[in-house]
Amino acid sequence: MNVIFVEPAFPAYQRQFVRGLHAVGATVIGIGERPGEWLDDELRGWLHHYHQIGSVTDVGALHDAVRWVQDKLWVDRLEATIEAHILPAAEVREACGIPGTSRRTAWLCRDKPAMKEALRSAGVPTAASAAVDSSDEAHAFAAAVGYPLIIKPRAAAGASGTSRVDNDTQLDAALAQFGAEGVGSVALEEFVEGHEGFYDTLSINGHAAYDFVCHYYPNVLEAMRTRWISPQFVSTNRVDAADGYGELKEMGHRVNEVLGIGTSATHMEWFSGPKGLRFSEIGCRPSGVGAWDLYVAGNDVDLYTEWARAVVHGDVHAPLSRRYAAGMIALRPTADGQIHGYSGVEEMQQQYGEWVFDAHLPPAGTPTQAVEAGYMANAYVRLKHPDFDVLRGMLNDVGETITVHAG
């Protein structure tokens, strides 16, 4: 099978999908934005050919590159795994007659109000939401639904650009900020109280061949706005046994069915609270922030190669062991500026070193990133343990033990 893979070199983990495709026997053609000479020898060795274009989100440029490849050989699949690349790839896929995720599915997974409307119409429980193009429409929605509300760009990924508003004044301020940034249409949503997590799958023909459940501590919006919090997300190994996950799996299958997701990785956010289980949003792509590394560590499986096997051969081979729960904790610098150093690292290593499978501690002098830049923006530690509750305690201890000194 000949597979075009969009942007094989950046972010760094993109190479793992290329490795997987090569490992299962695919001929891999990369299309990306970096000069070919910037690719290292290992990555070049997995690629049959690499084609540079100005921007992989430029549908015209991507289309021309794919047509150029099609003039040379038959193309069986065109794959993308980054949120911003999914819709352009789908548009080119349809224009060039290549099987895979449709433009409709990619658009519904990108446009939050349209996504929720399609799912509400099919009976999937979601928060009330609307796409608004003016202040009058926004205030009409607020009057009908009530505060608090969540406001975000219609095509936001994760918590990017997302904020909570509790009254008309805050709503007007948020709308003004979006206007200043050139965002003409935004999504408004009912604020759903409850615990937040995500449900990820590797789906084949719409059915989850693999699935994983992660829990956020605390919820994302709070985590991305509060410096003193060392936020965590944890992949549970109880997904096949503990109460409640069956309902989540059923929701995930129904969402795949309604949105037309076939053979693809998926990343679905959810809330569970006083109003029950509620769908939040989904992407037809792998989750970011290193979540797949947690699944690899917790399940004794090369998930990237199994993803490639699903794409190329329509199946998976390795069973999920569910041996470990695995989680990461983000460690925020004490202030913006430059990292000065760390305290508590040796204590953490002595206490939990056998369970640490990865850590990122940027050296002194490294510029800090803003709190809202995300879980992997600064320092972090990733651990695994057979018991989910024990792991939660370990992550808490790491957050209380290690300090990232900066200023």
Side-chain angles (χ1 to χ4, degrees):
M1 182 175 282
N2 301 319
V3 181
I4 294 176
F5 187 81
V6 177
E7 195 50 271
F10 184 82
Y13 63 81
Q14 286 284 88
R15 66 190 295 113
Q16 299 301 330
F17 298 99
V18 179
R19 175 186 61 78
L21 288 167
H22 182 266
V24 301
T27 297
V28 190
I29 299 94
I31 296 178
E33 299 171 1
R34 281 134 194 82
E37 57 268 25
W38 289 13
L39 276 58
D40 61 80
D41 291 342
E42 184 178 54
L43 180 55
R44 278 199 296 265
W46 295 329
L47 293 170
H48 176 72
H49 174 75
Y50 177 76
H51 197 88
Q52 182 189 2
I53 61 176
S55 171
V56 296
T57 60
D58 180 333
V59 174
L62 184 60
H63 175 270
D64 290 347
V66 170
R67 283 298 194 195
W68 184 89
V69 174
Q70 286 181 311
D71 286 343
K72 309 294 185 293
L73 48 77
W74 179 264
V75 174
D76 296 281
R77 300 284 293 199
L78 168 62
E79 294 298 320
T81 57
I82 299 297
E83 177 75 14
H85 305 167
I86 298 300
L87 184 55
E91 293 180 358
V92 172
R93 191 180 290 121
E94 288 197 351
C96 295
I98 301 171
T101 300
S102 69
R103 184 187 184 281
R104 172 189 178 272
T105 295
W107 177 74
L108 285 173
C109 288
R110 187 74 168 150
D111 188 282
K112 304 302 185 285
M115 172 201 303
K116 287 186 168 66
E117 181 58 35
L119 292 170
R120 272 195 299 270
S121 298
V124 176
T126 73
S129 64
V132 299
D133 301 310
S134 69
S135 176
D136 288 345
E137 291 180 359
H139 282 281
F141 180 83
V145 174
Y147 291 105
L149 297 172
I150 297 297
I151 185 169
K152 63 173 73 175
R154 291 182 66 170
S160 177
T162 302
S163 61
R164 168 177 163 164
V165 293
D166 294 311
N167 51 55
D168 288 345
T169 300
Q170 292 180 7
L171 176 59
D172 287 334
L175 291 170
Q177 180 64 37
F178 280 121
E181 295 170 356
V183 178
S185 182
V186 299
L188 275 178
E189 299 176 5
E190 169 192 14
F191 177 80
V192 177
E193 180 185 356
H195 173 67
E196 185 179 7
F198 52 96
Y199 178 63
D200 287 352
T201 77
L202 175 54
S203 289
I204 300 174
N205 296 325
H207 297 272
Y210 291 152
D211 62 356
F212 312 93
V213 176
C214 280
H215 297 270
Y216 286 117
Y217 302 100
N219 288 354
V220 175
L221 197 58
E222 182 181 1
M224 293 299 99
R225 302 294 182 269
T226 312
R227 178 181 294 278
W228 68 265
I229 293 175
S230 296
Q232 312 167 21
F233 63 86
V234 189
S235 173
T236 180
N237 55 343
R238 299 171 178 171
V239 63
D240 296 323
D243 292 340
Y245 292 127
E247 183 183 3
L248 182 59
K249 293 182 178 199
E250 291 174 6
M251 176 185 284
H253 177 73
R254 181 64 176 144
V255 169
N256 276 9
E257 183 179 54
V258 173
L259 299 184
I261 295 173
T263 298
S264 174
T266 70
H267 173 64
M268 187 183 87
E269 305 269 352
W270 52 267
F271 288 91
S272 181
K275 296 181 180 179
L277 182 64
R278 289 289 185 272
F279 169 87
S280 178
E281 60 185 59
I282 191 170
C284 50
R285 58 168 176 82
S287 52
V289 290
W292 273 35
D293 296 335
L294 302 186
Y295 307 151
V296 169
N299 292 280
D300 305 297
V301 64
D302 182 349
L303 186 54
Y304 298 94
T305 296
E306 295 301 330
W307 167 86
R309 197 183 308 279
V311 168
V312 174
H313 301 299
D315 61 10
V316 293
H317 285 188
L320 300 178
S321 71
R322 309 289 197 200
R323 184 178 301 181
Y324 301 105
M328 78 165 291
I329 180 165
L331 303 170
R332 265 68 181 274
T334 53
D336 292 329
Q338 291 186 340
I339 292 175
H340 296 162
Y342 301 84
S343 57
V345 175
E346 291 184 4
E347 293 90 331
M348 182 275 295
Q349 186 65 26
Q350 291 173 359
Q351 185 76 11
Y352 300 121
E354 65 176 308
W355 304 113
V356 175
F357 68 89
D358 182 35
H360 175 65
L361 302 172
T366 302
T368 64
Q369 301 298 314
V371 169
E372 58 270 19
Y375 290 80
M376 304 183 82
N378 293 288
Y380 59 84
V381 178
R382 299 195 283 200
L383 302 92
K384 63 181 181 180
H385 193 275
D387 188 285
F388 178 87
D389 294 320
V390 171
L391 177 63
R392 283 278 290 120
M394 291 164 56
L395 289 165
N396 288 338
D397 284 349
V398 169
E400 293 171 359
T401 300
I402 298 179
T403 299
V404 184
H405 301 283

